[in-house]
Amino acid sequence: MALDSLARRAAAVAAVAAFLASPASAQAPASRIGRAAFPADALTQVQTDAATGVPTFLAGRLSAPSSAAPADVATAFVRANAAVFGLGSRDAVAVRETTRDDLGMTHVRVQQTVGGVPVFGGDAIVHIDRAGSVVAYSGGLRAEASEAQTVPALSPDAALAAARAAVRPEAERPADDLAAWTPEARLMVYPAEAGMVLAYVVRIYQDAPFPANWVVVVDAATGRVVERWNAIDTAAPGLAPVARRTDAAFPTADVASAWMTPATGTGISRYNGTVSIGTDRVSSSSYRLYDTSRGNGIRTRDAATRTTLPGSDVTDADNAFTSTTTRSAIDAHWGAEQVYDYYLGTHGRNSFDGAGAAINSSVRYSRSYNNAFWNGAQMVYGEGDGSQFTPLVELDICAHELTHAVTERTAGLVYNREPGALNEALSDIFAVMVDRDDWLIGDKSYTPGTAGDALRYMDAPTRGNQPDTYANRAYAGSCSPAENNDYCGVHTNSGIPNHAAYLMAQGGTKGGVTVAGIGRGDTERIWYRAVTTYFTSTTDFAGARAGTIQAAADLFGASSAQKASVTNAWAAVGVGAGGGTTPPPPPAAQWYYEAQTLQSPHNYPNNYNASTTYTKAGAQRVAMYFEQFTTEANYDFVYIRDAAGAQTAAYTGNKAAFWAIVDGATIRANLVSDYSVAAYGYRVTQVAYFAPAPLLAGGTPMGVAPTAAPSDAIAGIAGGAQTAKPETALLPVRPNPSRGEATVAFSLAEAGAARVSVVDVLGREVAVLADGTAEAGMHDATVRGRAPGTYLVVLETGGARTASRLTVVR
C-alpha cells in the first residue's frame, strides 16, 4: 500500500509538471506554483496567466481543514501564497462578499488593493469546503500592481472633465433621474498596455447622440485618456446614433389611487400570440403592465419613439391589451415574466440580483432603432427599421438582456476583450435555455424579409460571421477597445464559448475531438454555477473553461460524464486540451435510509389539504416509511406524488406500517380530508433513497430493499372516490391562496353528470378540471398552472351551479 501511494504521488507530480509545461494549456513556467504553501500533487486543475505565471484558477486540496471563519480562511490562504500571486508588502485583499451554496461550499470574494487603492480587475474568489479547507481559487490578482503609484496629481473633478471631453455626451443623464448613474471618478490602479498606472475610472451615462454607459480611464498623473468603452450590454453589435433628445421627460410617478391591486390580464403579442400577463389595476377602468406578483415587480413602459427613459405606463381599460401599439410591450412584459420564472424555477434565483429586484423595461425606444440593451438599471428595446429588424422583443432577446443583469450582479465581467465576449456568450447561452426551441438568437426579429435566418447561430457560429474556434478569433493580437471594433469583438468572439456550450448539450465532433452531449438541463446548471461561483470580472475563455470544468465536477463528480463533456467541448473549439474520457460505469445503486420524522397534525382538521415532502438531490428513487396511518376510510386520503406533482398512489383507512416509493429525488405525501370526521393522520419515521453511493448528509445502507404497499383502488374523477354522503356541495379550495397548485373537493349526493371548471375575473373559462359522469360521494381535482390572480372554481351538476373563490399568488 505504501509503495502504491508513493507511486500515485509521483505520477500526480509528474502530471502537474507536464500540464504546466504543455503548450496546449498556454501555461507560464511552473516556478510560481513551486512557491505555494500547498504541495504540487494537491492540484487537480491549474490555469495561469501566460505573461506573468500568476494563477488564474486552481483546484485541489489547497489548505488544511480549519474551524476559522471563511473570510479569515480566505485571507490567510492569499497571504500564505503571496509569492504564488506575486503580491508585495503594499498589497492586501479586502473581503467583499461571503456566500454559502446548496452543496455546502463557501465562496469568499476578495478585492486586491495597493496602499489602500483598489486594483481594477484585481478581484478573486476563494472556495472553501465544509471542513474549512480551500479547494479552489479563481480570479485575477495582479502581481505587477504592487509598485504602482497611489498618490494622484489630478483631482476627481479634473478627471471627470477629461472624460467628458473625450466622449462628448450631448444629453447626459441627470443624477436625480437615475441615481445609479451619477457620474463618478474612482481612483484605481489600472492595468494598461504600458504597465500598471494610477488612474481614475470614470462612469458617465448619456442618452445622446446614442445611449452609453461610458467607462473612461483617465491617467491620474497626466489627464490622458488611457482607454474607454461603452458598458451598455446590447443584443446586436454597435449602437446606431439616434435623434438628439428634445422632448420633455415623461412623468414616471405611480398613479395615486385606492385601487392599485394585482390582476391577471391578457394581451396580443407580436411573436407569441395571446398571452396571460400580470397587471395592476390602478382605477375602476384602467390596468397597466405592472406585475406585482413576482419579486419586487415587473413593469413595462412605452418610450413612444422618444429617447427619454423610462417612458409612460402602458394601460388598458378592460385588462385585455389588444391594440397594435401595445404588442411590443406585451412581448417584452411577458418575456420578462418568463425569464424571471426561469431563473427562479430552474436556479432558485429571485430576479437578477437574487433578492427580488424590480425588473423594468421600456419598448419603442427611439425611431428605427435596431438594437436592445441593458443599461445597468433597466432593459430597453428598439422597434427596428422594418428591414434589418422588426421589434427586438422576442423571448430570446428578453432573456439575453436580463441575463446581462445577472452577470453584472455576479461575475461583473468587464465589457471588452475576452471577458466582454464571455459576457455576451452567457447572455446567448441562457437565452436558448429560456427559449429552448432552437439554438438561434434573434431568429424572429432579424431580417424579416429573409426566411430561416438569425442574428447568431450557436450550432454554427460561422453562419452569423462569428468564429467557432479560438484560432480564428477576431482581434487575436493587441487590441484597444473602441466603438469601431466592438470593444475588441465582444459580439464576434462570443461565438467560441457559444459553440462550446452547444457541443456540451448536443454533442458532436469538431477539430478531431468528439463530445458526448449531456443535454440542456445539465449544461445550464454547469454554466449557472460557473458564472455565479467561479467567474470574476476578468475571466477570459481559459478561465471560463476552468470554471465550467470545476462546476461540472462539483455538481456531478470528478469522474463524471458531464465533466468529460465540458472538457472536450472546450478542446473542440480550441480552448485547452481535451482528454475528458467517458468514465467507468458507476457502482451499482442501493437503498440508504435515514431517520427523519414527517407527520400530519394529530388529529388532522376537516377540509385539510397539505403535504410533507422529502427530497434527496441526486437520488434515483426516494421513499417514506409510514409507521402510523389512520384516516376516515374512503373519505380522507393521502396521495403520494412525485416531483412533478403526478399522483403515483393513494392510501386511506387504517393501515399497518408500510413504505411508499416514487421515482426521482422528491416524494410528497398530500393529505386531503373532507368536511366531517377527522382521524389521527400519519407519521413517517424513516425516509430512504436509492443511489450508487451515500449522498449529501449521508445515509445507512439497507439490508433489505423497501417494497411499496399497493395503492388503494379509488374510483371517480381525478383520483377522488367514494361512498355517498348526504349532500351535493363544492367544498372550499385548499390551499387558498395557492402558489400554483390547489385541490378542489366536491361531494355528490347521487351519481350523475358533473362539470368542474375554472373561470377568470373576465368570466372566461380557462380550465376544465372534470367533465363527465361521476359516482355519488367525494371527489377531488387539481388546479395547476394558473397565473397569479383571482378565479372562480365552478361546479355544475343537476342543473345547479355553485362556485368557490381561488386566489393564486407567487
Side-chain angles (χ1 to χ4, degrees):
M1 290 296 291
L3 290 174
D4 184 52
S5 177
L6 288 172
R8 286 199 304 269
R9 182 183 178 90
V13 172
V16 171
F19 176 74
L20 292 171
S22 168
S25 62
Q27 302 297 309
S31 56
R32 286 195 182 275
I33 298 296
R35 306 174 197 172
F38 49 83
D41 65 339
L43 293 169
T44 59
Q45 193 177 175
V46 182
Q47 184 70 47
T48 65
D49 182 272
T52 66
V54 172
T56 56
F57 196 94
L58 298 169
R61 186 60 56 182
L62 306 181
S63 77
S66 172
S67 60
D72 295 334
V73 171
T75 53
F77 169 76
V78 175
R79 285 196 302 269
N81 293 283
V84 176
F85 299 117
L87 304 181
S89 59
R90 299 172 67 223
D91 288 294
V93 292
V95 173
R96 286 171 42 187
E97 181 184 47
T98 299
T99 59
R100 184 178 172 89
D101 65 25
D102 56 4
L103 298 181
M105 291 178 64
T106 300
H107 312 278
V108 181
R109 289 182 179 265
V110 299
Q111 172 65 54
Q112 181 184 3
T113 62
V114 176
V117 177
V119 178
F120 186 92
D123 54 320
I125 313 171
V126 180
H127 310 274
I128 304 166
D129 69 8
R130 291 182 173 210
S133 297
V134 176
V135 292
Y137 161 88
S138 55
L141 298 180
R142 302 276 183 171
E144 65 272 31
S146 58
E147 301 305 318
Q149 293 293 321
T150 55
V151 179
L154 206 66
S155 71
D157 287 343
L160 185 58
R164 284 194 172 115
V167 299
R168 299 180 182 178
E170 295 180 13
E172 190 173 332
R173 172 74 62 194
D176 59 353
D177 190 3
L178 192 59
W181 295 110
T182 301
E184 66 176 9
R186 187 181 183 199
L187 191 65
M188 304 189 82
V189 175
Y190 187 82
E193 285 192 7
M196 305 298 289
V197 299
L198 184 65
Y200 286 100
V201 178
V202 180
R203 303 295 295 268
I204 298 175
Y205 187 97
Q206 73 176 43
D207 280 335
F210 54 85
N213 167 18
W214 286 114
V215 179
V216 186
V217 182
V218 179
D219 191 311
T222 66
R224 180 180 65 90
V225 172
V226 178
E227 279 187 350
R228 70 179 193 189
W229 62 88
N230 183 354
I232 279 183
D233 306 307
T234 62
L239 284 168
V242 299
R244 179 191 299 270
R245 183 177 69 180
T246 58
D247 50 312
F250 284 111
T252 59
D254 286 334
V255 179
S257 165
W259 293 87
M260 296 184 66
T261 56
T264 301
T266 60
I268 298 177
S269 69
R270 182 179 185 94
Y271 300 117
N272 297 288
T274 300
V275 294
S276 176
I277 48 176
T279 60
D280 188 42
R281 190 177 186 185
V282 293
S283 74
S284 60
S285 60
S286 182
Y287 298 81
R288 62 181 170 177
L289 295 184
Y290 192 2
D291 179 351
T292 59
S293 69
R294 291 171 166 90
N296 287 316
I298 296 175
R299 189 172 185 177
T300 303
R301 299 180 176 97
D302 184 0
T305 73
R306 297 177 173 89
T307 58
T308 301
L309 297 175
S312 56
D313 276 315
V314 180
T315 60
D316 185 83
D318 63 0
N319 211 18
F321 293 75
T322 59
S323 169
T324 56
T325 61
T326 64
R327 291 187 179 179
S328 292
I330 296 300
D331 268 309
H333 192 68
W334 179 81
E337 292 176 333
Q338 302 309 301
V339 180
Y340 175 92
D341 289 350
Y342 165 80
Y343 274 107
L344 183 62
T346 304
H347 304 295
R349 187 176 191 84
N350 184 4
S351 192
F352 58 84
D353 68 344
I359 297 172
N360 291 289
S361 305
S362 296
V363 299
R364 300 208 302 154
Y365 176 82
S366 188
R367 291 182 173 87
S368 301
Y369 186 65
N370 285 322
N371 222 322
F373 58 88
W374 164 258
N375 68 9
Q378 69 164 94
M379 294 177 290
V380 182
Y381 301 96
E383 284 286 277
D385 59 9
S387 176
Q388 184 180 2
F389 284 99
T390 52
L392 288 92
V393 290
E394 61 184 281
L395 180 58
D396 55 30
I397 291 180
C398 293
H400 177 103
E401 298 308 333
L402 196 49
T403 298
H404 276 309
V406 174
T407 301
E408 176 186 283
R409 298 305 178 93
T410 53
L413 287 160
V414 176
Y415 200 63
N416 64 54
R417 300 183 176 91
E418 283 189 22
L422 181 60
N423 191 324
E424 279 297 319
L426 285 162
S427 282
D428 282 353
I429 290 164
F430 285 102
V432 298
M433 298 305 173
V434 175
D435 184 7
R436 298 169 96 93
D437 292 343
D438 50 43
W439 293 92
L440 309 179
I441 304 296
D443 52 305
K444 293 182 175 66
S445 59
Y446 186 64
T447 56
T450 304
D453 69 343
L455 178 62
R456 288 186 288 276
Y457 308 79
M458 294 179 64
D459 56 341
T462 55
R463 286 189 63 192
N465 297 314
Q466 288 186 298
D468 59 1
T469 60
Y470 194 67
N472 294 327
R473 68 194 184 280
Y475 309 103
S478 176
C479 175
S480 181
E483 300 92 292
N484 61 4
N485 63 21
D486 189 30
Y487 305 105
C488 300
V490 299
H491 291 92
T492 305
N493 291 330
S494 59
I496 298 165
N498 274 357
H499 198 50
Y502 165 80
L503 290 170
M504 292 174 199
Q506 297 295 104
T509 299
K510 186 175 186 63
V513 180
T514 298
V515 184
I518 57 176
R520 290 191 198 230
D522 288 351
T523 301
E524 66 193 344
R525 290 183 64 195
I526 290 166
W527 278 94
Y528 180 78
R529 181 167 178 82
V531 67
T532 57
T533 302
Y534 290 110
F535 293 178
T536 65
S537 63
T538 56
T539 297
D540 57 11
F541 292 174
R545 171 188 180 272
T548 50
I549 289 172
Q550 192 61 40
D554 292 347
L555 292 168
F556 303 105
S559 300
S560 63
Q562 290 86 346
K563 182 185 174 187
S565 174
V566 172
T567 303
N568 288 332
W570 282 111
V573 299
V575 180
T581 58
T582 302
Q590 61 175 310
W591 281 99
Y592 298 84
Y593 77 88
E594 301 174 277
Q596 191 172 133
T597 300
L598 304 169
Q599 56 192 327
S600 68
H602 310 305
N603 288 341
Y604 56 79
N606 292 324
N607 298 320
Y608 183 73
N609 184 343
S611 300
T612 55
T613 302
Y614 168 65
T615 296
K616 195 69 171 178
Q620 299 173 16
R621 305 184 77 195
V622 286
M624 288 180 173
Y625 181 71
F626 290 84
E627 185 179 74
Q628 293 177 269
F629 189 99
T630 303
T631 66
E632 186 188 9
N634 295 321
Y635 295 109
D636 302 338
F637 291 83
V638 173
Y639 299 106
I640 304 302
R641 303 183 188 279
D642 63 14
Q647 178 182 313
T648 62
Y651 302 103
T652 187
N654 292 309
K655 291 191 172 299
F658 67 96
W659 284 97
I661 303 173
V662 302
D663 292 335
T666 296
I667 182 171
R668 182 179 300 120
N670 176 206
L671 171 59
V672 179
S673 67
D674 68 355
Y675 53 88
S676 66
V677 183
Y680 173 84
Y682 65 84
R683 185 168 183 261
V684 172
T685 56
Q686 288 183 42
V687 290
Y689 63 90
F690 189 67
L695 299 173
L696 197 64
T700 303
M702 299 180 69
V704 179
T707 302
S711 174
D712 291 329
I714 303 173
I717 298 174
Q722 296 109 34
T723 307
K725 282 208 170 182
E727 69 266 20
T728 294
L730 177 65
L731 305 177
V733 184
R734 296 287 188 272
N736 196 1
S738 163
R739 290 188 177 273
E741 180 174 313
T743 297
V744 178
F746 58 98
S747 173
L748 299 183
E750 57 185 31
R755 177 181 174 85
V756 181
S757 60
V758 181
V759 177
D760 67 12
V761 292
L762 299 179
R764 296 170 300 188
E765 187 174 83
V766 296
V768 176
L769 307 182
D771 190 7
T773 300
E775 298 179 1
M778 290 296 300
H779 306 269
D780 65 26
T782 301
V783 181
R784 291 193 188 95
R786 295 295 97 207
T790 300
Y791 301 88
L792 290 179
V793 180
V794 180
L795 168 64
E796 298 173 88
T797 182
R801 190 171 188 268
T802 58
S804 287
R805 186 184 183 91
L806 168 64
T807 301
V808 177
V809 297
R810 288 286 180 186

